[in-house]
Amino acid sequence: MEDLLLLGIDTSGKVASADLFDTENEIFLAQSSLYTQKTHSQVIMPMVKDILAKSDKQMSDIGAIAVANGPGSYTGLRIGVAAVKAMCFGLGIKCCGVSTLSALAFSNMAFVGNICSIMKARGELVYTCSYKSDSFTVKPICEEKLISRDELSKFLALDQEDTLLCGDGATDFFNNYRSPLFTLAPPQSRLQNATGVCLAGASASLIDPELLEVSYLQKVKAEKDLEYRSKTN
């Protein structure tokens, strides 16, 4: 990605966040984050306007937008992607979708070793992926998965590496599967956030907004209902 002012947005979980990142100087000019029960559509655009005002920037100064496009909350992801598409079309700029799991790892890239992103799915299932970090780069060492917590614990046990756990499912996993190999990410970088989206997006390829889509690791309820009706008809 060329040097520009990058807006990052994350609406994948209960935290809504927006960051403004100067990719040339690697400086975050402004950040806003809110753990909220409100619909993200109520808070994300006011956040964007707020960080632009605080950094004395205009919408027209934004060079590109990065957004967490999954996995995560079905409604939250759609709100974030729709907002980014609308802004990009209006500004005539490009964007990129960033894996929420990858963004979590980038938020913790100062850790040297393995980073395992863990996000709650349903029941005992979690979205997860592991990454190798040398404090400068973050690279996946497996595919993103939707698996049970027991399966994840066996996978990490086989790995036998010191591992940092992050994501909204990390605390429960850490408390239930204690191991001297596990370190829990600090609160400020444990949950999904736009900082990680910006850092991951800075090395991503930009696309036209019409190509931006939400990426799910499991079928959403509407798709399951459609399949069920097709089988029963």
Side-chain angles (χ1 to χ4, degrees), residues 43-59:
V43 298
I44 195 62
M45 289 311 299
M47 277 186 172
V48 171
K49 294 176 181 177
D50 180 59
I51 63 173
L52 285 169
K54 287 179 177 177
S55 56
D56 198 26
K57 299 293 183 182
Q58 306 295 323
M59 289 289 289

Side-chain angles (χ1 to χ4, degrees), residues 9-44:
I9 288 178
D10 193 315
T11 55
S12 62
K14 290 186 177 180
V15 177
S17 61
D19 283 29
L20 205 56
F21 185 48
D22 178 345
T23 62
E24 180 179 6
N25 298 300
E26 295 188 325
I27 295 174
F28 282 96
L29 302 182
Q31 301 168 307
S32 182
S33 181
L34 179 66
Y35 189 91
T36 178
Q37 299 297 324
K38 293 182 179 180
T39 303
H40 288 320
S41 58
Q42 297 176 269
V43 298
I44 195 62

Side-chain angles (χ1 to χ4, degrees), residues 28-145:
F28 282 96
L29 302 182
Q31 301 168 307
S32 182
S33 181
L34 179 66
Y35 189 91
T36 178
Q37 299 297 324
K38 293 182 179 180
T39 303
H40 288 320
S41 58
Q42 297 176 269
V43 298
I44 195 62
M45 289 311 299
M47 277 186 172
V48 171
K49 294 176 181 177
D50 180 59
I51 63 173
L52 285 169
K54 287 179 177 177
S55 56
D56 198 26
K57 299 293 183 182
Q58 306 295 323
M59 289 289 289
S60 57
D61 294 320
I62 299 172
I65 307 178
V67 61
N69 68 338
S73 160
Y74 173 73
T75 302
L77 291 171
R78 289 179 65 86
I79 289 170
V81 167
V84 169
K85 282 189 171 186
M87 283 189 284
C88 287
F89 279 126
L91 296 170
I93 59 176
K94 293 189 175 185
C95 57
C96 62
V98 173
S99 161
T100 319
L101 296 168
S102 176
L104 278 163
F106 271 91
S107 289
N108 293 278
M109 64 189 301
F111 181 81
V112 177
N114 286 2
I115 300 173
C116 182
S117 300
I118 308 171
M119 292 173 57
K120 296 176 182 177
R122 62 182 187 277
E124 287 295 305
L125 296 178
V126 292
Y127 303 111
T128 187
C129 189
S130 291
Y131 303 83
K132 177 70 72 176
S133 171
D134 61 5
S135 81
F136 294 102
T137 59
V138 173
K139 296 182 179 180
I141 56 178
C142 65
E143 293 183 352
E144 296 185 354
K145 303 180 180 71

Side-chain angles (χ1 to χ4, degrees), residues 146-176:
L146 175 64
I147 58 176
S148 71
R149 297 196 304 173
D150 283 346
E151 289 176 293
L152 177 58
S153 69
K154 292 174 183 177
F155 172 79
L156 295 178
L158 288 172
D159 194 41
Q160 287 294 307
E161 293 282 345
D162 291 333
T163 302
L164 181 78
L165 307 178
C166 57
D168 59 22
T171 301
D172 286 346
F173 185 86
F174 178 80
N175 290 333
N176 284 278

